[in-house]
Amino acid sequence: MDRHTLSNGRLGAAIKADGAELCSLTLDGRELLWQAGPEWPRHAPVLFPIVGRLKDDTLLHRGQIYRMTQHGFARDRRFAWEEHTPTLCRLSLSDDAQTRALYPFAFHLELIFELDAEGLTIRHRITNPGAEVLSASLGVHPAFRWPLQDGVPKEAHELLFEADEPAPIRRVDGGLLSPQPEPTPVEGRRLPLNEGLFTRDAVILDRPASHSVRYGAPGTPAITVSWEGFRELGIWSKPTGAPFLCIEPWHGHASPADFDGEFADKPGLLHLAPGATRELSYRIAVG
C-alpha cells in the first residue's frame, strides 16, 4: 500500500509509505498543505537522524567517517505499515545494511498519525535496540499553503506565538549554524510574515519560550502547530515567491560552523541508552 487516507468527515489527511510523509491535510475538502510543486518537491518530510547539514556532510563516529547528507535518510526511505484504521495509522523504519553504511547506529522509528475532530497529532517514537548509546536528531518539516486561501495577500499572514519570544534567533550560513545570534524579528508574540524574512534561509528559534504557534490571516482558516519533546523551531520558505510556509519543530539543528568533533558530541542531539525509547510529538489543529 502506497498511501493511506484518514477522515472524520470534517478533516482529512493522507500519509504515504515513502518517508512516512504527510502529503495532504484538508478542511471540508479544502487543501491546507503544500502540494509539492516545482519550487520544493516535498510536503512534510521527516528529518532523521540529523536536522540540517553536517560539516562537509561528514559523520565521524569512533574515528570512522560516514557520509550523511542534509536532513538524513528517513525522508527517502519506505516505511512499513504497522496499523491503519479510518482515523489512525502507524508506520515504522528500522536500521538495515543500507542505513548502517551511512549511520552506524541501531534504531527503530515509529510514526503514529491520529486524526480527531479538531486536528491531527503525529507522534514519533525512537527506540534504541542496540548495545551502545543512540545519538540522533529528529525534526519535522510540514509546509502549509501561503497564502492559505486564494486572493489573500501573503503579507496579511502572521505567526502568533503562545508566549513572547524576545530571545535572539539563529541563522545558517552555507548550511551550517552561524556562530552569532541575531535580533529576533518577532514583535512580542507576533511575527508578521513576508518573503524578505527568508533571504538568508530559515529563521531559527533555538530555545523558544512557546510550545505552540498560530498561523493565519483575516479570512483564512487558523492553523495552530503545537509540540512536545522538540526543543527548537525553524520557520522557512524560499524567498522567491514560493507559495508555502514551513513551521518546523526540531530536536537538533545543523552543525555549528566551527564543529569538527565526533558525531556523538555534536550540539543538539538526543541520546538514548540501550533499550530506551523517546517520544516526540506535534499537533496541527485547524479551525
Side-chain angles (χ1 to χ4, degrees), residues 5-197:
T5 300
L6 310 178
S7 178
N8 60 19
R10 175 177 180 260
L11 294 171
I15 297 93
K16 59 183 182 178
D18 291 338
E21 186 175 8
L22 177 68
C23 54
S24 177
L25 181 65
T26 58
L27 171 65
D28 297 326
R30 178 190 299 172
E31 184 63 64
L32 304 176
L33 207 65
W34 166 244
Q35 289 302 290
E39 296 90 342
W40 187 60
R42 300 182 188 268
H43 307 271
V46 177
L47 315 182
F48 178 85
I50 60 171
V51 172
R53 189 176 297 282
L54 301 176
K55 190 173 184 179
D56 299 323
D57 293 333
T58 296
L59 186 155
L60 182 65
H61 182 62
R62 300 181 184 238
Q64 186 168 344
I65 291 174
Y66 300 82
R67 178 172 174 78
M68 176 81 68
T69 55
Q70 185 177 26
H71 294 326
F73 51 73
R75 60 183 183 167
D76 297 316
R77 292 296 306 269
R78 188 175 181 86
F79 283 60
W81 295 103
E82 302 290 352
E83 182 180 3
H84 47 84
T85 74
T87 57
L88 181 144
C89 66
R90 180 165 58 93
L91 306 91
S92 70
L93 179 70
S94 295
D95 63 286
D96 57 20
Q98 184 176 354
T99 69
R100 288 190 294 270
L102 306 171
Y103 175 70
F105 296 93
F107 70 87
H108 181 72
L109 175 62
E110 284 191 334
L111 267 71
I112 303 100
F113 297 81
E114 188 167 8
L115 194 69
D116 59 39
E118 305 300 328
L120 178 70
T121 299
I122 306 100
R123 303 194 301 275
H124 306 72
R125 291 178 184 157
I126 308 171
T127 298
N128 179 5
E132 68 172 318
V133 172
L134 168 61
S135 299
S137 282
L138 175 75
V140 298
H141 203 308
F144 301 99
R145 292 181 58 190
W146 183 29
L148 273 168
Q149 189 167 305
D150 293 342
V152 178
K154 295 179 79 173
E155 292 76 14
H157 294 67
E158 67 176 17
L159 294 179
L160 186 65
F161 289 88
E162 172 190 26
D164 286 354
E165 295 290 349
I169 64 164
R170 306 297 296 271
R171 293 282 193 177
V172 292
D173 185 9
L176 302 179
L177 194 69
S178 297
Q180 296 301 323
E182 300 184 5
T184 181
V186 183
E187 303 167 356
R189 296 171 54 205
R190 179 174 174 266
L191 177 59
L193 294 172
N194 63 82
E195 293 173 357
L197 281 172

Side-chain angles (χ1 to χ4, degrees), residues 190-257:
R190 179 174 174 266
L191 177 59
L193 294 172
N194 63 82
E195 293 173 357
L197 281 172
F198 308 109
T199 55
R200 295 176 50 228
D201 213 292
V203 173
I204 301 169
L205 284 70
D206 61 347
R207 287 296 182 271
S210 302
H211 289 87
S212 68
V213 64
R214 181 181 180 276
Y215 166 53
T220 74
I223 293 175
T224 299
V225 178
S226 57
W227 56 91
E228 295 183 9
F230 295 99
R231 300 192 312 179
E232 295 89 8
L233 184 72
I235 305 161
W236 176 74
S237 187
K238 291 198 169 183
T240 53
F244 65 82
L245 179 78
C246 295
I247 302 172
E248 309 176 32
W250 301 338
H251 194 302
H253 48 68
S255 291

